[in-house]
mmCIF file of all heavy atoms in Angstrom:
data_model
loop_
_atom_site.group_PDB
_atom_site.id
_atom_site.type_symbol
_atom_site.label_atom_id
_atom_site.label_comp_id
_atom_site.label_asym_id
_atom_site.label_seq_id
_atom_site.Cartn_x
_atom_site.Cartn_y
_atom_site.Cartn_z
ATOM 1 N N HIS A 8 -185.675 5.014 -298.316
ATOM 2 C CA HIS A 8 -184.765 4.076 -298.996
ATOM 3 C C HIS A 8 -184.615 2.808 -298.212
ATOM 4 O O HIS A 8 -184.847 2.769 -296.955
ATOM 5 C CB HIS A 8 -183.388 4.690 -299.196
ATOM 6 C CG HIS A 8 -182.642 4.932 -297.849
ATOM 7 N ND1 HIS A 8 -181.988 3.949 -297.195
ATOM 8 C CD2 HIS A 8 -182.457 6.075 -297.105
ATOM 9 C CE1 HIS A 8 -181.445 4.433 -296.117
ATOM 10 N NE2 HIS A 8 -181.745 5.702 -295.948
ATOM 11 N N ALA A 9 -184.285 1.616 -298.799
ATOM 12 C CA ALA A 9 -184.113 0.384 -298.216
ATOM 13 C C ALA A 9 -182.796 0.345 -297.399
ATOM 14 O O ALA A 9 -182.038 1.299 -297.477
ATOM 15 C CB ALA A 9 -184.165 -0.702 -299.284
ATOM 16 N N GLU A 10 -182.541 -0.758 -296.770
ATOM 17 C CA GLU A 10 -181.293 -0.934 -295.948
ATOM 18 C C GLU A 10 -180.000 -0.713 -296.850
ATOM 19 O O GLU A 10 -179.863 -1.276 -297.872
ATOM 20 C CB GLU A 10 -181.254 -2.375 -295.330
ATOM 21 C CG GLU A 10 -180.086 -2.595 -294.388
ATOM 22 C CD GLU A 10 -180.070 -3.941 -293.856
ATOM 23 O OE1 GLU A 10 -180.700 -4.154 -292.798
ATOM 24 O OE2 GLU A 10 -179.415 -4.776 -294.530
ATOM 25 N N ALA A 11 -179.114 0.053 -296.244
ATOM 26 C CA ALA A 11 -177.834 0.379 -296.931
ATOM 27 C C ALA A 11 -176.626 -0.007 -296.133
ATOM 28 O O ALA A 11 -176.753 -0.188 -294.898
ATOM 29 C CB ALA A 11 -177.759 1.918 -297.205
ATOM 30 N N GLU A 12 -175.510 -0.206 -296.853
ATOM 31 C CA GLU A 12 -174.235 -0.503 -296.183
ATOM 32 C C GLU A 12 -173.863 0.713 -295.371
ATOM 33 O O GLU A 12 -174.230 1.866 -295.591
ATOM 34 C CB GLU A 12 -173.184 -0.700 -297.331
ATOM 35 C CG GLU A 12 -173.471 -1.783 -298.326
ATOM 36 C CD GLU A 12 -173.124 -3.155 -297.712
ATOM 37 O OE1 GLU A 12 -172.498 -3.200 -296.602
ATOM 38 O OE2 GLU A 12 -173.503 -4.188 -298.333
ATOM 39 N N PRO A 13 -173.009 0.370 -294.337
ATOM 40 C CA PRO A 13 -172.525 1.496 -293.529
ATOM 41 C C PRO A 13 -171.517 2.345 -294.387
ATOM 42 O O PRO A 13 -170.995 1.867 -295.394
ATOM 43 C CB PRO A 13 -171.799 0.848 -292.361
ATOM 44 C CG PRO A 13 -171.583 -0.614 -292.766
ATOM 45 C CD PRO A 13 -172.704 -0.943 -293.831
ATOM 46 N N GLU A 14 -171.311 3.514 -293.946
ATOM 47 C CA GLU A 14 -170.363 4.425 -294.660
ATOM 48 C C GLU A 14 -168.982 3.767 -294.617
ATOM 49 O O GLU A 14 -168.535 3.356 -293.555
ATOM 50 C CB GLU A 14 -170.336 5.849 -294.052
ATOM 51 C CG GLU A 14 -169.640 6.784 -294.928
ATOM 52 C CD GLU A 14 -169.709 8.261 -294.540
ATOM 53 O OE1 GLU A 14 -170.787 8.495 -293.763
ATOM 54 O OE2 GLU A 14 -168.916 9.066 -294.824
ATOM 55 N N ASN A 15 -168.314 3.731 -295.827
ATOM 56 C CA ASN A 15 -166.974 3.119 -295.890
ATOM 57 C C ASN A 15 -165.920 4.073 -296.363
ATOM 58 O O ASN A 15 -164.968 3.587 -297.020
ATOM 59 C CB ASN A 15 -167.073 1.821 -296.676
ATOM 60 C CG ASN A 15 -167.430 2.194 -298.159
ATOM 61 O OD1 ASN A 15 -167.578 3.301 -298.541
ATOM 62 N ND2 ASN A 15 -167.627 1.189 -298.910
ATOM 63 N N GLY A 16 -166.008 5.296 -296.073
ATOM 64 C CA GLY A 16 -165.036 6.259 -296.507
ATOM 65 C C GLY A 16 -165.350 6.973 -297.802
ATOM 66 O O GLY A 16 -164.709 7.933 -298.138
ATOM 67 N N GLY A 17 -166.407 6.456 -298.536
ATOM 68 C CA GLY A 17 -166.756 7.062 -299.808
ATOM 69 C C GLY A 17 -167.814 8.206 -299.606
ATOM 70 O O GLY A 17 -168.155 8.857 -300.628
ATOM 71 N N GLY A 18 -168.148 8.506 -298.356
ATOM 72 C CA GLY A 18 -169.181 9.513 -298.151
ATOM 73 C C GLY A 18 -170.555 8.947 -298.024
ATOM 74 O O GLY A 18 -170.901 7.917 -298.553
ATOM 75 N N ASP A 19 -171.411 9.694 -297.359
ATOM 76 C CA ASP A 19 -172.813 9.256 -297.102
ATOM 77 C C ASP A 19 -173.632 9.021 -298.417
ATOM 78 O O ASP A 19 -174.382 8.078 -298.529
ATOM 79 C CB ASP A 19 -173.525 10.172 -296.191
ATOM 80 C CG ASP A 19 -174.914 9.783 -295.824
ATOM 81 O OD1 ASP A 19 -175.021 8.529 -295.386
ATOM 82 O OD2 ASP A 19 -175.840 10.559 -296.001
ATOM 83 N N LEU A 20 -173.417 9.929 -299.330
ATOM 84 C CA LEU A 20 -174.240 9.785 -300.582
ATOM 85 C C LEU A 20 -173.838 8.559 -301.441
ATOM 86 O O LEU A 20 -174.551 8.120 -302.317
ATOM 87 C CB LEU A 20 -174.075 11.107 -301.482
ATOM 88 C CG LEU A 20 -174.690 12.333 -300.839
ATOM 89 C CD1 LEU A 20 -174.553 13.575 -301.787
ATOM 90 C CD2 LEU A 20 -176.177 12.172 -300.428
ATOM 91 N N ALA A 21 -172.647 8.027 -301.270
ATOM 92 C CA ALA A 21 -172.140 6.871 -301.993
ATOM 93 C C ALA A 21 -172.586 5.533 -301.457
ATOM 94 O O ALA A 21 -172.373 4.549 -302.019
ATOM 95 C CB ALA A 21 -170.583 6.917 -302.031
ATOM 96 N N ARG A 22 -173.263 5.545 -300.247
ATOM 97 C CA ARG A 22 -173.592 4.311 -299.682
ATOM 98 C C ARG A 22 -174.599 3.480 -300.579
ATOM 99 O O ARG A 22 -175.553 4.078 -301.036
ATOM 100 C CB ARG A 22 -174.324 4.486 -298.223
ATOM 101 C CG ARG A 22 -173.301 4.972 -297.291
ATOM 102 C CD ARG A 22 -173.915 5.419 -295.922
ATOM 103 N NE ARG A 22 -174.823 4.299 -295.507
ATOM 104 C CZ ARG A 22 -175.850 4.622 -294.729
ATOM 105 N NH1 ARG A 22 -176.216 5.890 -294.449
ATOM 106 N NH2 ARG A 22 -176.621 3.602 -294.381
ATOM 107 N N GLU A 23 -174.404 2.191 -300.808
ATOM 108 C CA GLU A 23 -175.337 1.360 -301.543
ATOM 109 C C GLU A 23 -176.143 0.491 -300.749
ATOM 110 O O GLU A 23 -175.881 0.267 -299.567
ATOM 111 C CB GLU A 23 -174.347 0.504 -302.544
ATOM 112 C CG GLU A 23 -173.609 1.363 -303.548
ATOM 113 C CD GLU A 23 -172.932 0.602 -304.602
ATOM 114 O OE1 GLU A 23 -173.137 -0.687 -304.603
ATOM 115 O OE2 GLU A 23 -172.256 1.122 -305.356
ATOM 116 N N LEU A 24 -177.264 -0.076 -301.334
ATOM 117 C CA LEU A 24 -178.081 -1.072 -300.661
ATOM 118 C C LEU A 24 -177.329 -2.340 -300.355
ATOM 119 O O LEU A 24 -176.471 -2.795 -301.180
ATOM 120 C CB LEU A 24 -179.327 -1.341 -301.591
ATOM 121 C CG LEU A 24 -180.251 -0.173 -301.844
ATOM 122 C CD1 LEU A 24 -181.434 -0.685 -302.674
ATOM 123 C CD2 LEU A 24 -180.750 0.443 -300.547
ATOM 124 N N THR A 25 -177.721 -2.927 -299.304
ATOM 125 C CA THR A 25 -177.296 -4.323 -298.961
ATOM 126 C C THR A 25 -178.057 -5.320 -299.756
ATOM 127 O O THR A 25 -179.064 -4.957 -300.418
ATOM 128 C CB THR A 25 -177.481 -4.626 -297.452
ATOM 129 O OG1 THR A 25 -178.896 -4.529 -297.163
ATOM 130 C CG2 THR A 25 -176.721 -3.620 -296.563
ATOM 131 N N ALA A 26 -177.742 -6.560 -299.684
ATOM 132 C CA ALA A 26 -178.531 -7.603 -300.397
ATOM 133 C C ALA A 26 -179.930 -7.572 -299.789
ATOM 134 O O ALA A 26 -181.016 -7.710 -300.490
ATOM 135 C CB ALA A 26 -177.937 -8.995 -300.246
ATOM 136 N N LYS A 27 -180.055 -7.427 -298.417
ATOM 137 C CA LYS A 27 -181.389 -7.363 -297.780
ATOM 138 C C LYS A 27 -182.148 -6.124 -298.327
ATOM 139 O O LYS A 27 -183.304 -6.122 -298.590
ATOM 140 C CB LYS A 27 -181.218 -7.358 -296.245
ATOM 141 C CG LYS A 27 -182.582 -7.121 -295.541
ATOM 142 C CD LYS A 27 -182.320 -7.027 -294.095
ATOM 143 C CE LYS A 27 -183.566 -6.849 -293.296
ATOM 144 N NZ LYS A 27 -183.432 -6.601 -291.873
ATOM 145 N N GLY A 28 -181.388 -5.012 -298.448
ATOM 146 C CA GLY A 28 -182.068 -3.755 -298.969
ATOM 147 C C GLY A 28 -182.575 -3.952 -300.348
ATOM 148 O O GLY A 28 -183.587 -3.324 -300.589
ATOM 149 N N ARG A 29 -181.853 -4.633 -301.270
ATOM 150 C CA ARG A 29 -182.344 -4.906 -302.580
ATOM 151 C C ARG A 29 -183.674 -5.610 -302.516
ATOM 152 O O ARG A 29 -184.546 -5.374 -303.253
ATOM 153 C CB ARG A 29 -181.349 -5.532 -303.436
ATOM 154 C CG ARG A 29 -180.122 -4.538 -303.798
ATOM 155 C CD ARG A 29 -179.175 -5.145 -304.861
ATOM 156 N NE ARG A 29 -178.432 -6.303 -304.255
ATOM 157 C CZ ARG A 29 -177.346 -6.154 -303.538
ATOM 158 N NH1 ARG A 29 -176.877 -5.014 -303.243
ATOM 159 N NH2 ARG A 29 -176.696 -7.246 -303.153
ATOM 160 N N GLN A 31 -185.723 -5.729 -299.983
ATOM 161 C CA GLN A 31 -186.843 -4.847 -299.419
ATOM 162 C C GLN A 31 -187.373 -3.941 -300.482
ATOM 163 O O GLN A 31 -188.578 -3.724 -300.635
ATOM 164 C CB GLN A 31 -186.255 -3.942 -298.333
ATOM 165 C CG GLN A 31 -185.794 -4.639 -297.018
ATOM 166 C CD GLN A 31 -185.079 -3.733 -296.014
ATOM 167 O OE1 GLN A 31 -184.300 -2.772 -296.453
ATOM 168 N NE2 GLN A 31 -185.341 -4.020 -294.734
ATOM 169 N N ALA A 54 -178.526 10.464 -303.121
ATOM 170 C CA ALA A 54 -177.871 9.259 -302.545
ATOM 171 C C ALA A 54 -178.034 8.074 -303.273
ATOM 172 O O ALA A 54 -179.149 7.703 -303.800
ATOM 173 C CB ALA A 54 -178.425 9.108 -301.130
ATOM 174 N N GLU A 55 -176.975 7.286 -303.444
ATOM 175 C CA GLU A 55 -177.045 6.023 -304.286
ATOM 176 C C GLU A 55 -178.127 5.108 -303.718
ATOM 177 O O GLU A 55 -178.750 4.466 -304.505
ATOM 178 C CB GLU A 55 -175.604 5.362 -304.235
ATOM 179 C CG GLU A 55 -175.538 4.199 -305.105
ATOM 180 C CD GLU A 55 -175.735 4.465 -306.541
ATOM 181 O OE1 GLU A 55 -175.485 5.597 -306.957
ATOM 182 O OE2 GLU A 55 -176.151 3.545 -307.295
ATOM 183 N N ARG A 56 -178.198 5.045 -302.356
ATOM 184 C CA ARG A 56 -179.156 4.105 -301.842
ATOM 185 C C ARG A 56 -180.621 4.521 -302.172
ATOM 186 O O ARG A 56 -181.481 3.641 -302.395
ATOM 187 C CB ARG A 56 -179.023 3.930 -300.305
ATOM 188 C CG ARG A 56 -179.127 5.255 -299.540
ATOM 189 C CD ARG A 56 -178.689 5.143 -298.156
ATOM 190 N NE ARG A 56 -178.852 6.300 -297.284
ATOM 191 C CZ ARG A 56 -177.930 7.306 -297.258
ATOM 192 N NH1 ARG A 56 -176.877 7.295 -298.030
ATOM 193 N NH2 ARG A 56 -178.151 8.331 -296.470
ATOM 194 N N SER A 57 -180.862 5.728 -302.254
ATOM 195 C CA SER A 57 -182.059 6.297 -302.662
ATOM 196 C C SER A 57 -182.433 6.025 -304.120
ATOM 197 O O SER A 57 -183.459 5.550 -304.557
ATOM 198 C CB SER A 57 -182.232 7.738 -302.361
ATOM 199 O OG SER A 57 -183.432 8.289 -302.809
ATOM 200 N N GLN A 59 -181.040 3.627 -305.979
ATOM 201 C CA GLN A 59 -181.238 2.194 -306.119
ATOM 202 C C GLN A 59 -182.522 1.676 -305.703
ATOM 203 O O GLN A 59 -183.189 0.853 -306.306
ATOM 204 C CB GLN A 59 -180.051 1.372 -305.393
ATOM 205 C CG GLN A 59 -178.711 1.613 -305.977
ATOM 206 C CD GLN A 59 -177.663 0.846 -305.133
ATOM 207 O OE1 GLN A 59 -177.744 0.783 -303.849
ATOM 208 N NE2 GLN A 59 -176.608 0.387 -305.712
ATOM 209 N N THR A 60 -183.058 2.286 -304.591
ATOM 210 C CA THR A 60 -184.412 1.909 -304.125
ATOM 211 C C THR A 60 -185.435 2.249 -305.159
ATOM 212 O O THR A 60 -186.310 1.512 -305.586
ATOM 213 C CB THR A 60 -184.747 2.591 -302.785
ATOM 214 O OG1 THR A 60 -183.745 2.140 -301.746
ATOM 215 C CG2 THR A 60 -186.137 2.336 -302.347
ATOM 216 N N LYS A 129 -187.168 1.321 -292.903
ATOM 217 C CA LYS A 129 -186.436 1.217 -294.190
ATOM 218 C C LYS A 129 -187.286 0.558 -295.181
ATOM 219 O O LYS A 129 -187.894 -0.486 -294.923
ATOM 220 C CB LYS A 129 -185.078 0.606 -293.992
ATOM 221 C CG LYS A 129 -184.181 1.468 -293.214
ATOM 222 C CD LYS A 129 -182.795 0.859 -292.963
ATOM 223 C CE LYS A 129 -181.969 1.887 -292.231
ATOM 224 N NZ LYS A 129 -180.995 1.286 -291.395
#
Side-chain angles (χ1 to χ4, degrees):
H8 68 80
E10 182 182 273
E12 298 284 350
E14 191 172 336
N15 60 5
D19 184 49
L20 294 181
R22 293 173 49 211
E23 295 190 4
L24 295 182
T25 63
K27 177 182 178 182
R29 287 189 293 279
Q31 290 173 330
E55 185 64 24
R56 61 193 181 276
S57 176
Q59 289 175 330
T60 300
K129 290 181 177 149

